[in-house]
Amino acid sequence: MKKLLTVFMAILLTAAFITGCGSTSTPSAPTGSSPGTSSTSTQSQKPSDSAEKIELTVWESTGGPDEFIQKAGEEFTKLHPNITIKYVNVELGDSSGKIALDGPAGVGPDVFAAPHDKIGELVSGGHIEEVSNPDYVKQNALGACIQAVTYEGKIVGYPVSAETYALFYNKALISESEVPATWEGVVEFAKKFNSGDRYGFMMDVGNGYYTILFTTANGNRLFGPTGTDTTKTYLNTPDAVNGIKFFQSMKSILNVPAADLTTSICDEAFKAGKVAMYITGPWNIKPFKDAGIDFGVAPLPSLPGQSEPASSFSGTRTMFVSAYSNHPEEAAMFAEFLMSPEMQKLRFDITEALPATDIEVDSPYVRAFTKQLDYAFPMPSIPEMSNFWNAMNSASANIWDGADVQSELDACDRAILGN
Amino acid sequence: MSIYAKKGTLSFPFLRLTSKSAPTAGFLSPEGGAAVTIRADGSDKNKVLITSILFCGLSHILYLKQYVKGILFALIEVIAIINIPKFVKALHGLITLGSPQPDVSIKLRDNSIFMLIDGVMALAVIFVFIAIYVISVKSALKEYKKFCDSKVFTSNRHTFSELTGKSFSLFALAPTVIMILFFVLVPLVFSALVAFTNYSAPDHIPPKNTVDWVGFQNFIDMFSGKTAWTSAFGKVALWTLAWGFLATFTCYFGGMLMAVVLHESKIKLKPVFRSIFILPYAVPSVISMLVWRNLMNGSFGTVNRTLIHLGIIKDVIPWLSDPWLAKFTCVLVNLWAGFPYFMLLVTGSMTAISRDIYEAAVVDGASKFQVFKSITLPLVIYQTTPLIIMSISHNINNFGAIFFVTGGGPTLADSTTTGAAGTDLLITWIYKLTINLLQYHYASVLAVLIFMVLAPFAIYNFRRTRAFKEGVE
C-alpha cells in the first residue's frame, strides 16, 4: 500500500511537472482587428544578396514533416544559393520546452515548429516575436489558423498545417447530394433512414471536443471571441443552451445511452457500414479507407437558425522564427516560403495533413476540411481549459441521457471556472 | 552568533589539549583549570554531556581521546552548519510556499510545489543530522561509562574494529534507512501535505501561480462543506467499501465452488478443466477488461445482441449505462477474471487436509454436504483468511477492474463538478482528479483517507505473518 501511495505520488509529481510545463500564460487581446489594408507585396524585403554563407537550423518532428523540411530546404537553396537549411529532429511537443534552454545557450534553431496552444508560453518567455510581415500570413492562411497564431493582436507565427473535424458520410448509404446542410436535415434524414442497427447519424456524444460545436451559434465561443476570457465560459449563454437543447433532442434519432457511444464504438460502427453520417477528423481517413468504406467529407451542418456551417475546435501546427536567431530575416523568408502554395502542396503530398492555406490539393476529403477550417475556432489554450474536458464531457453525457440543459451547463460553467 | 560561541569553546580547549602531553592524567586529582581531563568516578558525566551537546564530537576529542570518531562527528556538524542557509531557505519556502510574482517571467517565479518538496527534503536531512547528533551524545556518554569502568580510554583502533563488529548492523542498514527516508517517507509526507494546500486548477497551478496552505479546508469541503463534493465522496466511499467486499467474496466463493466441484466430483480429465478455468487469470487483465467493455456495450455489444437474437430479451440491458447495473457488471467481470486465483488457492489448501478426517467422517455416516460444511470449509477458511484480507485491501485499490471496464461511468448528476461517476472507486476518482481535473488537493485528501483505512489491514496482515512473529521472538 505504501507502494501504491508512492506510485500515486509519482503520478502526482509527474503531473506536476507536466502541468508545470504545460500551463501557459493567458493571452488576452482581441485578434485579427484592423488588418493592414495596404496590400503590400507578399514577398518580404529582399535580403542583400551578399555571398555570405548562411545555414538555418530548423526543428521539426519525424514521420513526414522531417522529409518535408529537407525537400523544402533544397528548393529554398535553389532560390537563395547562399542559404542552406539544416534539419534537426525536435518533436513538436518538445520544442517549446527546449527552446527556453537552447535558445539562450546559442545552440537553438532559427525556425521551429510548435502547436498553436504553446504561443502564450513562447511569447511570455520571450522566445518568439511578432512576424516581420503579418500581411503575408493574413492573406494566405485560413481563418482559424490566423486566429490561432494571433497573440495580443499580433501575428507571431506561420501556420503550416491544421486539424479539425467535419461530417463524414458513407456514400453507399447517402448520396453526395443528399448530405444535409443543416442539423434539422440530419434529423430528417436519420428518421427515414434508421432501421434495426443502421443509424443515419452518429457521434461521440460524451466528448466535449465534438459537442462544443452545438454551442457556437451566433458567434458564441468558448471563453469568448478570443478564447481568453477567464471570467466566463460562454457555455451557458442562451445561444449555447439552445444549441445544446437541439443536441439533446437528437437522441430521438440515436437512441443510445451516452455510456455506450464511445469514440471506438462509433468508429467501428462507421467502418462496419452501419452509419450514414459520422463526425470525426482527418485521422480517420486512412482507417476508413483501409476498411473499404467509400466515404465523403462535408463541412458540419449549420445549427438551427444559422446559415453557416457550425463551428468546430481546430488545432494549428505553426512555424516560429526564434528570437535568438542570428539571421531573423532569412529565417522569416524560409518560414514564409513554407506557406507558399507549392510548399503547402508538397507538405500535403508528404504528410497528408491538412494545409493551413487555401490551396487546391488532390484529395476529395481535404476540400471539406479546408472549408470547415474557415468556420472553426482555435482550441483555447488558457489554463481553464484543463477543467473544460471533464466538465463538458460529463455535462454532454448527462444532457444526452436526459438531464436539464440549463442546470448542467451552469454546473459546467462553475466547474470550469473553479467556483 | 551561537555558532561563533561554539567555535570558541571548540578551539580554546583544543589548543590546551595539544599543549598537554599527559594522556592518562584523566583520573588524577583535578589540577587547576584542567579542562581536558575527566575523573573516572562518574562525577564528570555532566561535563561530557554538556560538551557533547555543545558541539557534535567535542567530548570525544576533548576528554575521551577518540579523535577519529570525534572528528567524524565534528565534520558532520560542520557540514550541517555550512548548509544552514540552505535549510533556512528551504524551510522558509515550505512555510510560505512562495509569493505571487505576476511581474516576473514565468520561469523565474516561485514554484510552490518545488518549494514544498525541497522543504520536506530539508526536514528529512535535518532529521538525519539530529539523529546523528543524538547518536554522538549517546556514544559519548557510553564511552565515558566504559572509561569509568575500565579506567582506560578506548583506542582509536578499537573504534575501527567496532565498525566491522558491534556497530556493523548500523552501518549496513544506514543506506537502506536513508533510501526509505527519501524514496518512501518524503513522497508520502509530500502527498499528505498537498491535502492541506489549494494545489488545483485553474488558479493554483505552479509555476504561473503559487499554492497556499489552507489548513483543513479541503477536508471540510470534502466531508461537510460543498454539497456536491460531500455527496460524491459519500457515494464513492460507500461503493468502494461495498466493492472491496463484493469483489473479494464473489471471487473467493466462486473459486471455492469450482475447486470443490473439480475436487469432489467424478469428472474425467480434471487437469484439462483446471487448465481451462485458469485461463482468465493467464490473460493480461487490461486486455480482457477492454474486451469485456466492448462485449457488454448495451447497444452494440455482443452480449445483448446475442440475447436479443436468441429471443431471451426484447430491449437491450443497459449493462454499462445504468449506474446500478454498471456496478453489477463490474462485479461480474471481476468474478470472471478473479475466481481462478482463489480456485487454485482453495485447491491447494484442500489437498493439504488429511484424508483421515474425511474417512472418519464417512465412517460416521456424514453426507457429502456435511463433510464440506464441517471439515473442508472451516479448514480452508482458516488457512486462507489472511489472503482474503489482503484481497479486500487489494480490491479496494483495484484500479483496472473498474477503469478499463466502465471508465468509472456512467456519469451522474454531479459528475460535471466532481468528476466522480457511477462506478468510480476512490482510486479511479483520484486518477481523474489528478490527471483530468488537476484537483490535486482533493485527490490528496482521498489518498490520505485510503491510507488511513487500509493501513490497519496491512499492519494486521503483516503482524500475522510468520516472518514477523519469529522476528519478534
Side-chain angles (χ1 to χ4, degrees), chain B residues 100-178:
Chain B
Q101 299 153 294
D103 308 328
V104 182
S105 129
I106 284 188
K107 283 175 182 59
L108 302 174
R109 290 183 195 176
D110 287 344
N111 188 323
S112 304
I113 292 309
F114 292 171
M115 292 172 116
L116 184 54
I117 297 172
D118 286 348
V120 176
M121 297 263 263
L123 278 181
V125 174
I126 291 170
F127 172 77
V128 171
F129 277 129
I130 290 175
I132 293 174
Y133 216 120
V134 170
I135 289 173
S136 84
V137 172
K138 279 193 170 166
S139 149
L141 289 177
K142 211 172 85 190
E143 291 296 338
Y144 178 60
K145 192 160 177 290
K146 236 177 176 175
F147 170 64
C148 294
D149 293 343
S150 64
K151 318 286 183 214
V152 184
F153 290 115
T154 319
S155 72
N156 283 320
R157 188 170 298 156
H158 186 73
T159 314
F160 286 115
S161 69
E162 219 177 32
L163 283 186
T164 52
K166 225 171 72 187
S167 315
F168 179 71
S169 59
L170 197 74
F171 282 86
L173 281 175
T176 322
V177 171
I178 287 173

Side-chain angles (χ1 to χ4, degrees), chain A residues 32-94:
Chain A
S33 55
S34 70
T37 41
S38 59
S39 55
T40 48
S41 76
T42 52
Q43 279 299 90
S44 68
Q45 61 274 43
K46 275 251 176 222
S48 53
D49 264 344
S50 65
E52 188 200 356
K53 286 265 174 242
I54 293 172
E55 188 185 60
L56 296 176
T57 306
V58 180
W59 283 359
E60 249 291 11
S61 306
T62 49
D66 50 344
E67 194 189 332
F68 165 64
I69 291 295
Q70 280 157 351
K71 284 198 175 156
E74 285 162 20
E75 295 295 318
F76 191 69
T77 308
K78 281 181 199 162
L79 292 175
H80 306 276
N82 64 325
I83 304 174
T84 51
I85 303 296
K86 182 185 166 204
Y87 164 80
V88 173
N89 172 31
V90 173
E91 292 297 315
L92 188 71
D94 302 334

Side-chain angles (χ1 to χ4, degrees), chain A residues 1-2 4-6 8-9 11-13 15-17 19-21 23-26 96-97 100 121 124-125 127 196-197 199 202 254-262 264-265 269 274 383-384 386-387 389-395 397-398 401 408 411-419, chain B residues 105-107 111 113-114 117 183-184 186-188 190-191 194 199 201-203 205-208 226 293-294 296-300 305 317-318 320-321 397 409-419 427 430-432 434-440 443-444 447-448 450-451 454-455 458:
Chain A
M1 187 183 38
K2 269 181 181 172
L4 265 168
L5 267 158
T6 327
F8 162 60
M9 249 307 304
I11 292 172
L12 246 183
L13 266 176
F17 287 128
T19 54
C21 302
S23 66
T24 62
S25 81
T26 317
S96 56
E121 194 181 311
S124 66
H127 311 311
D197 58 357
Y199 292 90
M202 194 174 271
L254 183 57
N255 191 14
V256 176
D260 289 346
L261 267 183
T262 59
S264 60
I265 292 283
K274 289 176 176 171
E384 278 74 8
S386 59
N387 287 1
W389 297 111
N390 171 70
M392 192 62 184
N393 292 355
S394 299
N398 281 341
D401 290 339
E408 277 295 327
C412 194
D413 180 68
R414 280 196 306 273
I416 292 171
L417 298 177
N419 299 328
Chain B
S105 129
I106 284 188
K107 283 175 182 59
N111 188 323
I113 292 309
F114 292 171
I117 297 172
F183 290 101
V184 178
V186 167
L188 264 180
F190 165 73
S191 68
V194 169
Y199 183 20
D203 294 330
I205 299 285
K208 187 166 190 287
K226 296 178 189 171
R293 181 190 193 133
N294 283 336
M296 300 302 268
N297 188 298
S299 314
F300 308 96
R305 282 289 148 98
I317 301 173
L320 301 177
S321 47
N397 274 334
T411 51
L412 301 173
D414 52 16
S415 303
T416 310
T417 313
T418 62
I427 191 79
I430 287 175
Y431 174 86
K432 288 181 176 176
T434 50
I435 302 295
N436 300 340
L437 281 96
L438 309 184
Q439 303 289 317
Y440 302 104
S444 186
V448 169
I450 293 183
F451 178 81
L454 288 189

Side-chain angles (χ1 to χ4, degrees), chain B residues 248-249 252 342 345 381 384-393:
Chain B
T248 304
F249 286 106
Y252 184 78
F342 281 110
L345 205 75
I381 287 186
T384 48
T385 309
L387 289 159
I388 295 178
I389 290 166
M390 275 286 273
S391 181
I392 289 175
S393 63

